[in-house]
Amino acid sequence: MENDNLIEKRVESESGLDVNKDIPLAVQIFIALVLAIFAGLLARNHVEFAQSYIKPLGTIFLNLIKFIVGPIVLFSIMAGVVSMKDIKKVGAIGGKTVVYYLFTTAIAITIGLFIANLCKGFFPLLQTADAHYQAKAAEPFMNTIVNIFPGNFLRPLLDANMLQIIVMALFLSFAIILAGKRAEKAIDAIDLLNDIFMYVMDMILRLSPIGVFCLLMPVVAANGAMILGSLAAVLLVAYMGYILHAVITYSIAVGCVGQMNPLTFFKKMLPAIMFSFSSASSVGTLPINMKCTESLGADKKIASFVLPLGATINMDGTAIYQGVCSIFIASCYGINLTFAQMLTIVLTATIASIGTAGVPGAGMVMLAMVLQSVGLPVDGIALVAGVDRIFDMGRTTVNITGDASCAVIVSALQRKKAKKS
């Protein structure tokens, strides 16, 4: 317990999130979130003003986050990998991470389907005659594999393509390890650049409360009435699924495998949870998530690899959304899904989570793939598209919490392995 406190104080001190300040960052973000909700409800008749003058300020903040994410991911992964000095060790950590992500995603979609089937009697029967949605064509599997590997050194950073940045970082890091003592200056340079970009990130994170307010307030102003409208039951079921998955799955995983009190885990994750809820971007939350996992005692080297990978392929919240929306759309069209079809949804959503970008709205593409896999009308997406942003806020929060739980668990497993050897 004493060690945890020391780690927390060191991380908060380094990041500017000083526990001795009057208002900690988590409280600042929470206040901004509450103010944004009230201001948005008051501005229901001034949506155009909110969209034209408040939202751009939030976009500026999100742009700053996106600007720093690429370099942070590149140099933090490189710094972490070269410090391990063992390619086999990196492979072992990567294997544990991918298995955990796929396992929790499968559990998430199962929870989504279970709770949606339990509550589908409360779903409204919306008119489907005018529903129309043009689904984007899903990338062929081999194209997805090909697109993981960069064809240009700068393009992955320019496009913020996380998978390509991760692959690029791994290749460069492995080359440095193989170069041995000759690469010592390169290692020093990587560590220095990593520190510099971390300081830039700290400066940007100080603006988080303003960014949260400006991102969330226009959303509430535009959608406030919809929350209480005909889709309230579907939204409620989805959020029940989000909460159940986080409270049950992550608590058990963190408590049993990570040897950590789940209450401590969620308490220290609050800044990342609240920021992800307002921004609806897994990638945008990445810098704050890194700080939170450090305060939880996760190995910095492991977190720098696990979190960027999770922001790209770990979509637990999105999987729950797929399950709930699939049952809702099926009920609107008068279709009862069989057990085999629901099993197909579980498998499709789990596989489709790999390569889905951690940006707002990405879940819609996955939903189209899931509906097509069981023969449901893709046009049904139009029934939920109007409130997708509200779904997205919750599912992104679950996604980044799952990433953090993986960092804590893999760190604990590696420490246990090190003790045995």
Side-chain angles (χ1 to χ4, degrees):
M1 185 63 71
E2 188 176 344
N3 288 338
D4 286 347
N5 291 335
L6 288 172
I7 291 169
E8 180 181 15
K9 288 178 181 178
R10 178 181 63 79
V11 171
E12 291 182 333
S13 176
E14 286 178 0
S15 64
L17 313 181
D18 193 347
V19 291
N20 294 322
K21 284 188 176 181
D22 292 336
I23 307 177
L25 182 66
V27 178
Q28 291 180 42
I29 293 176
F30 179 74
I31 292 170
L33 195 150
V34 172
L35 289 175
I37 293 172
F38 279 109
L41 292 173
L42 291 173
R44 289 289 292 132
N45 296 323
H46 304 282
V47 176
E48 189 175 340
F49 175 84
Q51 296 284 348
S52 301
Y53 296 100
I54 305 298
K55 186 178 179 181
L57 298 176
T59 303
I60 289 171
F61 174 71
L62 209 51
N63 285 345
L64 288 173
I65 290 285
K66 290 176 182 177
F67 138 73
I68 200 62
V69 160
I72 283 285
V73 171
L74 177 64
F75 290 109
S76 65
I77 287 179
M78 289 183 69
V81 171
V82 297
S83 67
M84 292 182 199
K85 300 178 182 178
D86 186 351
I87 295 175
K88 288 183 179 179
K89 186 177 179 182
V90 178
I93 291 170
K96 290 184 180 78
T97 301
V98 171
V99 168
Y100 179 80
Y101 283 153
L102 292 178
F103 182 67
T104 56
T105 299
I107 292 174
I109 182 66
T110 304
I111 288 175
L113 288 169
F114 175 77
I115 196 168
N117 274 297
L118 210 60
C119 303
K120 67 180 179 181
F122 298 100
F123 288 160
L125 296 177
L126 301 184
Q127 178 57 250
T128 60
D130 299 325
H132 180 71
Y133 180 81
Q134 186 65 41
K136 293 182 182 178
E139 283 282 336
F141 177 74
M142 286 310 298
N143 280 14
T144 302
I145 299 297
V146 170
N147 290 337
I148 290 173
F149 298 91
N152 180 285
F153 188 80
L154 294 177
R155 180 59 59 188
L157 290 169
L158 294 173
D159 295 342
N161 188 318
M162 289 300 110
L163 273 179
Q164 291 189 1
I165 292 173
I166 291 167
V167 170
M168 185 166 69
L170 289 175
F171 270 103
L172 291 170
S173 303
F174 292 162
I176 290 170
I177 290 172
L178 293 172
K181 291 184 178 180
R182 291 178 296 165
E184 287 179 356
K185 289 183 179 178
I187 293 173
D188 291 339
I190 290 167
D191 288 336
L192 177 60
L193 285 168
N194 187 41
D195 289 342
I196 288 171
F197 283 111
M198 284 291 183
Y199 281 120
V200 175
M201 181 185 73
D202 292 337
M203 290 188 284
I204 295 170
L205 292 185
R206 291 173 186 269
L207 302 173
S208 295
I210 298 171
V212 164
F213 179 88
C214 295
L215 286 167
L216 188 57
M217 184 267 200
V219 174
V220 177
N223 298 293
M226 288 187 183
I227 297 174
L228 302 174
S230 60
L231 293 173
V234 187
L235 286 165
L236 181 62
V237 170
Y239 273 82
M240 284 169 62
Y242 297 152
I243 293 168
L244 279 175
H245 184 62
V247 171
I248 297 174
T249 308
Y250 298 149
S251 292
I252 292 173
V254 168
C256 296
V257 185
Q259 300 296 304
M260 176 179 290
N261 186 330
L263 292 177
T264 301
F265 172 77
F266 287 109
K267 180 183 176 182
K268 293 188 178 182
M269 277 297 296
L270 275 178
I273 286 171
M274 287 185 285
F275 182 83
S276 64
F277 183 79
S278 57
S279 68
S281 172
S282 297
V283 171
T285 311
L286 192 53
I288 295 181
N289 212 8
M290 284 184 170
K291 293 297 180 186
C292 289
T293 52
E294 281 187 60
S295 73
L296 285 164
D299 190 314
K300 189 175 181 179
K301 303 169 191 174
I302 292 173
S304 66
F305 175 74
V306 167
L307 295 181
L309 187 61
T312 309
I313 71 168
N314 184 40
M315 300 286 164
D316 291 2
T318 309
I320 293 168
Y321 162 79
Q322 316 295 329
V324 172
C325 288
S326 296
I327 299 297
F328 169 63
I329 291 169
S331 66
C332 283
Y333 282 91
I335 299 169
N336 287 315
L337 295 176
T338 64
F339 178 77
Q341 285 176 311
M342 285 189 274
L343 187 61
T344 301
I345 290 174
V346 172
L347 294 173
T348 305
T350 303
I351 295 168
S353 67
I354 299 175
T356 303
V359 294
M364 300 288 277
V365 178
M366 279 180 66
L367 181 56
M369 293 172 63
V370 167
L371 294 178
Q372 288 170 334
S373 72
V374 290
L376 288 174
V378 176
D379 285 348
I381 295 177
L383 301 173
V384 294
V387 289
D388 183 65
R389 171 73 185 200
I390 301 166
F391 280 116
D392 207 357
M393 291 158 69
R395 67 189 182 226
T396 302
T397 303
V398 176
N399 291 344
I400 65 98
T401 308
D403 298 345
S405 71
C406 185
V408 169
I409 286 165
V410 173
S411 295
L413 290 174
Q414 290 303 115
R415 281 195 290 266
K416 189 182 289 184
K417 184 179 178 180
K419 285 180 181 178
K420 288 181 179 179
S421 59

